[in-house]
Coordinates of all heavy atoms in Angstrom, one line a residue:
W1 N 0.8 -1.2 0.0 CA 0.0 0.0 0.0 C 0.9 1.2 0.0 O 1.9 1.3 0.7 CB -0.8 0.1 1.2 CG -1.6 -1.1 1.7 CD1 -1.5 -2.4 1.4 CD2 -2.8 -1.0 2.5 NE1 -2.5 -3.1 2.1 CE2 -3.2 -2.2 2.7 CE3 -3.4 0.1 3.1 CZ2 -4.4 -2.5 3.5 CZ3 -4.5 -0.2 3.9 CH2 -5.0 -1.4 4.1
V2 N 0.5 2.2 -0.7 CA 1.1 3.5 -0.7 C 0.1 4.6 -0.4 O -1.0 4.6 -1.0 CB 1.8 3.9 -2.1 CG1 2.4 5.3 -2.0 CG2 2.9 2.8 -2.4
V3 N 0.4 5.4 0.6 CA -0.5 6.5 1.0 C 0.1 7.8 0.7 O 1.3 8.0 1.0 CB -0.8 6.4 2.6 CG1 -1.6 7.6 3.0 CG2 -1.5 5.1 2.9
R4 N -0.6 8.7 0.0 CA -0.2 10.0 -0.3 C -1.2 11.0 0.4 O -2.4 10.9 0.1 CB -0.2 10.3 -1.8 CG 0.8 9.5 -2.5 CD 0.8 9.8 -4.0 NE 1.6 8.9 -4.8 CZ 1.1 7.7 -5.3 NH1 -0.1 7.4 -5.2 NH2 2.0 6.9 -6.0
D5 N -0.6 11.8 1.3 CA -1.4 12.8 1.9 C -0.6 14.1 2.1 O 0.4 14.2 1.5 CB -2.0 12.3 3.3 CG -0.9 11.9 4.3 OD1 0.3 12.3 4.1 OD2 -1.2 11.3 5.3
A6 N -1.1 15.0 2.9 CA -0.5 16.3 3.1 C 0.9 16.1 3.7 O 1.8 16.9 3.4 CB -1.3 17.2 4.0
G7 N 1.2 15.0 4.3 CA 2.5 14.7 4.9 C 3.5 14.1 3.9 O 4.6 13.9 4.2
G8 N 3.0 13.8 2.7 CA 3.9 13.2 1.7 C 3.4 11.8 1.3 O 2.2 11.5 1.4
E9 N 4.4 11.0 0.9 CA 4.0 9.7 0.5 C 4.8 8.7 1.4 O 5.9 8.9 1.7 CB 4.5 9.5 -1.0 CG 4.2 8.1 -1.6 CD 4.6 8.0 -3.0 OE1 4.1 8.8 -3.8 OE2 5.5 7.2 -3.3
R10 N 4.1 7.6 1.7 CA 4.7 6.6 2.5 C 4.1 5.2 2.2 O 3.0 5.1 1.8 CB 4.6 6.9 4.0 CG 3.1 6.9 4.4 CD 3.0 7.4 5.8 NE 1.5 7.8 5.9 CZ 0.9 8.0 7.0 NH1 1.6 8.0 8.1 NH2 -0.4 8.3 7.0
A11 N 4.9 4.2 2.4 CA 4.5 2.8 2.1 C 4.1 2.2 3.5 O 4.7 2.5 4.5 CB 5.6 2.0 1.5
L12 N 3.0 1.4 3.4 CA 2.5 0.7 4.6 C 2.9 -0.7 4.5 O 2.9 -1.3 3.3 CB 1.0 0.9 4.8 CG 0.6 2.4 5.0 CD1 -1.0 2.4 5.0 CD2 1.1 2.9 6.2
P13 N 3.2 -1.4 5.6 CA 3.5 -2.8 5.5 C 2.3 -3.7 5.0 O 1.2 -3.4 5.3 CB 3.8 -3.2 6.9 CG 3.4 -2.1 7.8 CD 3.2 -0.9 6.9
D14 N 2.6 -4.7 4.2 CA 1.6 -5.6 3.6 C 0.8 -6.3 4.7 O -0.3 -6.6 4.6 CB 2.2 -6.6 2.7 CG 2.6 -6.0 1.4 OD1 2.1 -4.9 1.0 OD2 3.5 -6.6 0.7
A15 N 1.5 -6.4 5.9 CA 0.9 -7.2 7.0 C -0.2 -6.3 7.7 O -0.9 -6.8 8.5 CB 1.9 -7.6 8.0
Q16 N -0.2 -5.0 7.5 CA -1.2 -4.1 8.2 C -2.6 -4.5 7.6 O -2.9 -4.3 6.5 CB -0.9 -2.7 7.9 CG -1.8 -1.8 8.7 CD -1.3 -0.3 8.7 OE1 -0.2 -0.1 8.5 NE2 -2.2 0.6 9.1
P17 N -3.4 -5.0 8.5 CA -4.8 -5.5 8.1 C -5.7 -4.4 7.6 O -6.6 -4.6 6.8 CB -5.3 -6.2 9.3 CG -4.6 -5.6 10.4 CD -3.3 -5.2 10.0
A18 N -5.6 -3.2 8.2 CA -6.5 -2.1 7.9 C -5.8 -0.7 8.2 O -4.9 -0.6 9.0 CB -7.8 -2.2 8.7
L19 N -6.3 0.3 7.5 CA -5.9 1.6 7.7 C -7.1 2.4 8.2 O -8.0 2.6 7.5 CB -5.3 2.2 6.4 CG -4.9 3.7 6.4 CD1 -3.6 3.8 7.2 CD2 -4.7 4.2 5.0
R20 N -7.0 2.9 9.5 CA -8.1 3.7 10.0 C -7.8 5.1 9.8 O -6.8 5.7 10.1 CB -8.2 3.4 11.5 CG -8.5 2.0 11.9 CD -8.3 1.7 13.3 NE -6.9 2.0 13.6 CZ -6.3 2.0 14.9 NH1 -7.1 1.7 15.9 NH2 -5.1 2.2 15.1
I21 N -8.8 5.8 9.1 CA -8.7 7.2 8.8 C -9.6 8.0 9.7 O -10.8 7.7 9.7 CB -9.0 7.5 7.3 CG1 -8.1 6.6 6.4 CG2 -8.9 8.9 7.0 CD1 -8.5 6.6 5.0
G22 N -9.1 9.0 10.4 CA -10.0 9.8 11.2 C -9.3 11.0 11.8 O -8.2 11.4 11.3
T23 N -9.9 11.6 12.8 CA -9.4 12.9 13.4 C -8.8 12.7 14.8 O -8.2 13.6 15.3 CB -10.5 13.9 13.5 OG1 -11.6 13.4 14.3 CG2 -11.0 14.3 12.1
G24 N -8.9 11.5 15.3 CA -8.4 11.3 16.7 C -7.0 10.7 16.7 O -6.5 10.2 15.6
P25 N -6.3 10.6 17.8 CA -5.0 10.1 17.9 C -4.8 8.6 17.6 O -3.7 8.2 17.3 CB -4.6 10.4 19.4 CG -5.9 10.6 20.1 CD -6.9 11.1 19.1
E26 N -5.9 7.9 17.7 CA -5.8 6.4 17.4 C -5.9 6.1 15.9 O -5.7 5.0 15.5 CB -6.9 5.7 18.2 CG -8.3 5.9 17.6 CD -8.9 7.2 18.1 OE1 -8.4 7.9 18.9 OE2 -10.0 7.5 17.6
A27 N -6.1 7.1 15.1 CA -6.2 6.9 13.6 C -4.8 6.6 13.1 O -3.8 7.2 13.5 CB -6.8 8.1 12.9
D28 N -4.7 5.7 12.1 CA -3.5 5.4 11.4 C -3.1 6.6 10.5 O -1.9 6.9 10.3 CB -3.6 4.1 10.6 CG -3.9 2.9 11.5 OD1 -3.2 2.7 12.5 OD2 -4.9 2.2 11.2
L29 N -4.1 7.1 9.9 CA -4.0 8.3 9.0 C -4.8 9.4 9.6 O -6.1 9.3 9.5 CB -4.4 8.0 7.6 CG -4.3 9.1 6.5 CD1 -2.8 9.6 6.4 CD2 -4.8 8.7 5.2
R30 N -4.2 10.3 10.3 CA -4.9 11.4 11.0 C -5.1 12.6 10.1 O -4.2 13.2 9.5 CB -4.1 11.8 12.2 CG -4.9 12.6 13.1 CD -4.3 12.7 14.5 NE -5.0 13.7 15.3 CZ -4.5 14.3 16.3 NH1 -3.3 14.0 16.7 NH2 -5.2 15.2 16.9
L31 N -6.4 13.0 10.0 CA -6.8 14.2 9.2 C -6.7 15.4 10.1 O -7.0 15.4 11.3 CB -8.2 14.0 8.6 CG -8.3 12.7 7.7 CD1 -9.8 12.6 7.3 CD2 -7.4 12.8 6.5
P32 N -6.4 16.5 9.5 CA -6.4 17.8 10.2 C -7.8 18.2 10.7 O -8.8 17.8 10.0 CB -5.8 18.8 9.3 CG -6.1 18.3 7.9 CD -6.1 16.8 8.1
G33 N -7.9 18.9 11.7 CA -9.2 19.4 12.2 C -9.3 19.1 13.7 O -8.4 18.7 14.3
A34 N -10.5 19.3 14.2 CA -10.8 19.1 15.6 C -10.5 17.6 16.0 O -10.7 16.7 15.2 CB -12.2 19.4 15.9
V35 N -9.9 17.5 17.1 CA -9.7 16.1 17.7 C -10.9 15.6 18.3 O -11.2 15.8 19.5 CB -8.5 16.1 18.7 CG1 -8.2 14.7 19.2 CG2 -7.3 16.7 18.0
S36 N -11.7 15.0 17.5 CA -13.0 14.4 18.0 C -12.9 13.0 18.3 O -13.8 12.4 18.9 CB -14.1 14.7 17.0 OG -13.9 14.0 15.8
G37 N -11.8 12.3 17.9 CA -11.7 10.9 18.1 C -12.5 10.1 17.1 O -12.7 8.9 17.3
R38 N -13.1 10.7 16.1 CA -14.0 10.0 15.2 C -13.2 9.2 14.1 O -12.2 9.8 13.5 CB -14.9 10.9 14.5 CG -15.9 11.5 15.5 CD -16.8 12.6 14.8 NE -17.1 12.3 13.5 CZ -18.3 12.6 12.9 NH1 -19.2 13.2 13.6 NH2 -18.5 12.3 11.6
M39 N -13.6 8.0 13.8 CA -13.1 7.3 12.7 C -14.0 7.5 11.5 O -15.2 7.4 11.7 CB -13.0 5.8 13.0 CG -11.9 5.3 13.9 SD -10.3 5.7 13.2 CE -9.5 6.1 14.7
L40 N -13.4 8.0 10.4 CA -14.3 8.4 9.3 C -14.3 7.4 8.2 O -15.4 7.3 7.5 CB -13.7 9.8 8.8 CG -13.7 10.9 9.8 CD1 -13.0 12.1 9.2 CD2 -15.0 11.2 10.3
A41 N -13.2 6.7 8.0 CA -13.2 5.7 6.9 C -12.2 4.6 7.3 O -11.3 4.8 8.1 CB -12.8 6.3 5.6
L42 N -12.4 3.4 6.7 CA -11.5 2.3 6.9 C -11.1 1.8 5.6 O -12.0 1.5 4.7 CB -12.3 1.2 7.7 CG -11.5 -0.1 7.9 CD1 -10.5 0.1 9.0 CD2 -12.5 -1.2 8.3
V43 N -9.8 1.6 5.4 CA -9.3 0.9 4.2 C -8.8 -0.4 4.6 O -7.9 -0.5 5.5 CB -8.2 1.7 3.4 CG1 -7.7 1.0 2.3 CG2 -8.8 3.1 3.0
G44 N -9.2 -1.5 4.0 CA -8.8 -2.8 4.4 C -8.5 -3.7 3.2 O -8.7 -3.3 2.1
S45 N -8.2 -4.9 3.5 CA -7.8 -5.9 2.5 C -8.6 -7.2 2.8 O -8.7 -7.7 3.9 CB -6.3 -6.2 2.5 OG -6.0 -7.2 1.6
L46 N -9.2 -7.7 1.7 CA -10.0 -9.0 1.8 C -9.6 -9.8 0.6 O -9.8 -9.4 -0.5 CB -11.5 -8.7 1.9 CG -12.4 -9.9 2.0 CD1 -12.1 -10.6 3.3 CD2 -13.8 -9.5 1.9
E47 N -9.1 -11.0 0.8 CA -8.7 -11.9 -0.3 C -7.9 -11.2 -1.3 O -8.0 -11.4 -2.5 CB -10.0 -12.5 -0.9 CG -10.8 -13.3 0.1 CD -12.1 -13.9 -0.5 OE1 -12.4 -13.6 -1.7 OE2 -12.8 -14.5 0.2
G48 N -6.9 -10.4 -0.8 CA -6.0 -9.8 -1.7 C -6.4 -8.5 -2.4 O -5.7 -7.9 -3.2
R49 N -7.7 -8.1 -2.2 CA -8.2 -6.9 -2.8 C -8.5 -5.8 -1.7 O -8.9 -6.2 -0.6 CB -9.6 -7.2 -3.5 CG -9.4 -8.1 -4.6 CD -10.7 -8.4 -5.3 NE -11.3 -7.1 -5.9 CZ -12.5 -7.0 -6.3 NH1 -13.4 -8.0 -6.2 NH2 -12.9 -5.9 -6.8
L50 N -8.2 -4.6 -2.0 CA -8.4 -3.5 -1.1 C -9.9 -2.9 -1.2 O -10.4 -2.9 -2.3 CB -7.5 -2.3 -1.4 CG -6.0 -2.6 -1.1 CD1 -5.2 -1.4 -1.5 CD2 -5.8 -3.0 0.3
F51 N -10.4 -2.5 -0.1 CA -11.7 -1.9 -0.1 C -11.7 -0.7 0.8 O -10.8 -0.5 1.7 CB -12.8 -2.9 0.4 CG -12.6 -3.3 1.9 CD1 -13.2 -2.6 2.9 CD2 -11.9 -4.4 2.2 CE1 -13.0 -2.9 4.2 CE2 -11.7 -4.8 3.5 CZ -12.3 -4.1 4.5
V52 N -12.7 0.2 0.7 CA -12.9 1.3 1.6 C -14.3 1.3 2.1 O -15.2 0.9 1.3 CB -12.5 2.7 0.9 CG1 -13.5 2.9 -0.3 CG2 -12.6 3.8 1.9
Q53 N -14.4 1.7 3.3 CA -15.8 1.7 4.0 C -15.9 3.0 4.7 O -15.1 3.4 5.5 CB -15.9 0.6 5.0 CG -17.2 0.5 5.7 CD -17.3 -0.7 6.6 OE1 -16.3 -1.3 7.0 NE2 -18.5 -1.0 7.0
A54 N -17.0 3.7 4.4 CA -17.3 5.0 5.1 C -17.9 4.6 6.4 O -18.7 3.7 6.5 CB -18.3 5.8 4.3
L55 N -17.5 5.3 7.5 CA -17.9 5.0 8.8 C -18.9 6.0 9.5 O -19.5 5.7 10.5 CB -16.7 4.8 9.7 CG -15.7 3.7 9.3 CD1 -14.5 3.7 10.2 CD2 -16.4 2.3 9.2
Q56 N -19.0 7.2 8.9 CA -19.8 8.2 9.5 C -20.7 8.8 8.4 O -20.3 9.3 7.4 CB -19.0 9.4 10.0 CG -18.0 9.0 11.1 CD -18.7 8.6 12.4 OE1 -19.8 9.1 12.7 NE2 -18.1 7.7 13.1
A57 N -22.0 8.7 8.6 CA -23.0 9.1 7.6 C -22.9 10.6 7.4 O -23.2 11.1 6.3 CB -24.4 8.7 8.0
D58 N -22.5 11.4 8.4 CA -22.5 12.9 8.2 C -21.1 13.4 7.7 O -21.0 14.6 7.5 CB -22.8 13.5 9.5 CG -21.8 13.2 10.6 OD1 -21.0 12.3 10.5 OD2 -21.7 14.0 11.6
T59 N -20.2 12.5 7.3 CA -18.9 12.9 6.7 C -18.8 12.2 5.4 O -18.5 11.0 5.4 CB -17.7 12.6 7.7 OG1 -18.0 13.2 8.9 CG2 -16.4 13.1 7.1
P60 N -18.9 12.9 4.3 CA -18.8 12.2 3.0 C -17.4 11.6 2.7 O -16.4 12.3 3.0 CB -19.2 13.3 2.0 CG -19.1 14.6 2.7 CD -19.2 14.3 4.2
V61 N -17.4 10.5 2.1 CA -16.2 9.9 1.6 C -16.5 9.7 0.1 O -17.5 9.2 -0.3 CB -15.9 8.5 2.2 CG1 -14.8 7.8 1.6 CG2 -15.7 8.7 3.7
A62 N -15.5 10.1 -0.7 CA -15.6 10.0 -2.2 C -14.5 9.2 -2.8 O -13.3 9.3 -2.3 CB -15.7 11.3 -2.9
V63 N -14.7 8.4 -3.8 CA -13.7 7.6 -4.5 C -13.7 8.2 -5.9 O -14.7 8.1 -6.6 CB -14.0 6.1 -4.5 CG1 -12.9 5.4 -5.3 CG2 -14.0 5.6 -3.0
N64 N -12.6 8.8 -6.3 CA -12.5 9.3 -7.7 C -13.7 10.3 -8.0 O -14.2 10.4 -9.1 CB -12.5 8.3 -8.7 CG -11.3 7.3 -8.5 OD1 -10.2 7.7 -8.1 ND2 -11.5 6.0 -8.8
G65 N -14.1 11.1 -6.9 CA -15.1 12.1 -7.1 C -16.5 11.6 -6.9 O -17.4 12.4 -6.9
S66 N -16.7 10.3 -6.8 CA -18.1 9.8 -6.6 C -18.3 9.5 -5.1 O -17.5 8.7 -4.6 CB -18.3 8.5 -7.4 OG -18.2 8.8 -8.8
E67 N -19.3 10.0 -4.6 CA -19.6 9.8 -3.1 C -19.9 8.3 -2.9 O -20.6 7.7 -3.6 CB -20.7 10.7 -2.6 CG -20.8 10.7 -1.1 CD -21.7 11.8 -0.6 OE1 -21.8 12.9 -1.2 OE2 -22.3 11.5 0.5
L68 N -19.3 7.9 -1.8 CA -19.4 6.5 -1.4 C -20.6 6.3 -0.5 O -20.7 7.1 0.5 CB -18.1 6.0 -0.8 CG -18.0 4.7 -0.1 CD1 -18.1 3.6 -1.2 CD2 -16.7 4.6 0.7
A69 N -21.3 5.2 -0.6 CA -22.4 4.8 0.3 C -22.1 3.4 0.7 O -22.2 2.5 -0.1 CB -23.8 4.9 -0.3
G70 N -21.5 3.2 1.9 CA -21.2 1.9 2.4 C -19.8 1.5 2.1 O -18.8 2.2 2.4
T71 N -19.6 0.4 1.4 CA -18.2 -0.2 1.1 C -18.1 -0.3 -0.4 O -19.0 -0.6 -1.1 CB -18.1 -1.5 1.8 OG1 -18.4 -1.4 3.2 CG2 -16.7 -2.1 1.6
R72 N -16.8 -0.2 -0.8 CA -16.5 -0.3 -2.3 C -15.1 -0.9 -2.4 O -14.2 -0.6 -1.7 CB -16.7 1.0 -2.9 CG -16.0 1.2 -4.2 CD -16.0 2.5 -4.8 NE -15.0 2.4 -5.9 CZ -15.0 3.2 -6.9 NH1 -15.8 4.2 -7.0 NH2 -14.1 3.0 -7.8
W73 N -14.9 -1.7 -3.5 CA -13.6 -2.2 -3.8 C -12.7 -1.0 -4.4 O -13.3 -0.1 -5.0 CB -13.6 -3.3 -4.9 CG -14.3 -4.5 -4.4 CD1 -15.5 -5.0 -4.8 CD2 -13.8 -5.4 -3.4 NE1 -15.8 -6.2 -4.1 CE2 -14.7 -6.5 -3.2 CE3 -12.6 -5.5 -2.6 CZ2 -14.6 -7.5 -2.3 CZ3 -12.4 -6.5 -1.7 CH2 -13.4 -7.6 -1.6
L74 N -11.4 -1.1 -4.2 CA -10.5 -0.1 -4.7 C -9.7 -0.7 -5.8 O -9.4 -1.9 -5.8 CB -9.6 0.5 -3.6 CG -10.3 1.3 -2.5 CD1 -9.3 1.6 -1.4 CD2 -10.9 2.6 -3.1
A75 N -9.2 0.2 -6.7 CA -8.3 -0.2 -7.8 C -7.1 0.6 -7.7 O -7.1 1.7 -7.1 CB -9.0 -0.1 -9.1
D76 N -6.0 0.2 -8.3 CA -4.8 0.9 -8.4 C -5.0 2.3 -8.9 O -5.7 2.5 -9.9 CB -3.7 0.2 -9.2 CG -2.4 0.8 -9.2 OD1 -2.0 1.4 -8.1 OD2 -1.6 0.7 -10.2
G77 N -4.6 3.3 -8.2 CA -4.7 4.7 -8.6 C -6.0 5.4 -8.2 O -6.1 6.6 -8.4
D78 N -6.9 4.7 -7.5 CA -8.1 5.4 -7.0 C -7.7 6.5 -6.0 O -6.7 6.3 -5.2 CB -9.0 4.4 -6.3 CG -9.8 3.6 -7.2 OD1 -9.9 3.9 -8.4 OD2 -10.4 2.6 -6.8
E79 N -8.4 7.5 -5.9 CA -8.2 8.6 -5.0 C -9.4 8.8 -4.1 O -10.5 8.8 -4.5 CB -8.0 9.9 -5.8 CG -6.7 9.9 -6.6 CD -6.4 11.2 -7.2 OE1 -7.0 12.2 -6.9 OE2 -5.5 11.3 -8.0
L80 N -9.1 8.9 -2.8 CA -10.1 9.1 -1.8 C -10.1 10.6 -1.3 O -9.1 11.2 -1.2 CB -9.8 8.2 -0.5 CG -9.7 6.7 -0.7 CD1 -9.5 6.1 0.6 CD2 -11.0 6.2 -1.3
A81 N -11.3 11.1 -1.1 CA -11.5 12.4 -0.5 C -12.5 12.2 0.6 O -13.5 11.6 0.5 CB -12.1 13.4 -1.6
I82 N -12.2 12.9 1.8 CA -13.0 12.7 3.0 C -13.3 14.1 3.5 O -12.5 15.0 3.6 CB -12.3 11.9 4.1 CG1 -12.0 10.5 3.5 CG2 -13.1 11.9 5.3 CD1 -11.1 9.7 4.4
G83 N -14.6 14.3 3.7 CA -15.1 15.6 4.3 C -15.7 16.5 3.3 O -15.7 16.4 2.1

């Protein structure tokens, strides 16, 4: 996995089962903003494929500009936007 965010680009270990995206200190990928401790999205792996799941109905998650409802498979090069 490769993550590109405001902090730059970094590789994540293949053994990491999921990437928690949120605003609190327990998030693997912490977004700027108020420290509410909310988890906003989860990126995980199932049977060798990556997926993203929106976790908060009031915080939109988009994949390649299309708002996500629930869970969706990811492909190489997909871009996520949260908020």
Side-chain angles (χ1 to χ4, degrees):
W1 309 24
V2 176
V3 174
R4 293 180 190 94
D5 61 14
E9 181 176 299
R10 62 190 162 164
L12 298 175
D14 289 335
Q16 183 167 344
L19 177 72
R20 298 169 299 172
I21 303 171
T23 57
E26 70 282 354
D28 300 308
L29 180 59
R30 190 166 172 200
L31 301 177
V35 180
S36 64
R38 292 173 38 146
M39 286 299 144
L40 304 174
L42 176 77
V43 176
S45 177
L46 181 64
E47 299 178 1
R49 295 180 65 192
L50 293 177
F51 66 87
V52 61
Q53 180 178 16
L55 300 177
Q56 300 292 330
D58 63 342
T59 303
V61 175
V63 179
N64 301 324
S66 297
E67 192 167 327
L68 173 68
T71 304
R72 161 185 168 159
W73 293 111
L74 293 172
D76 189 32
D78 280 347
E79 293 186 10
L80 301 180
I82 299 175

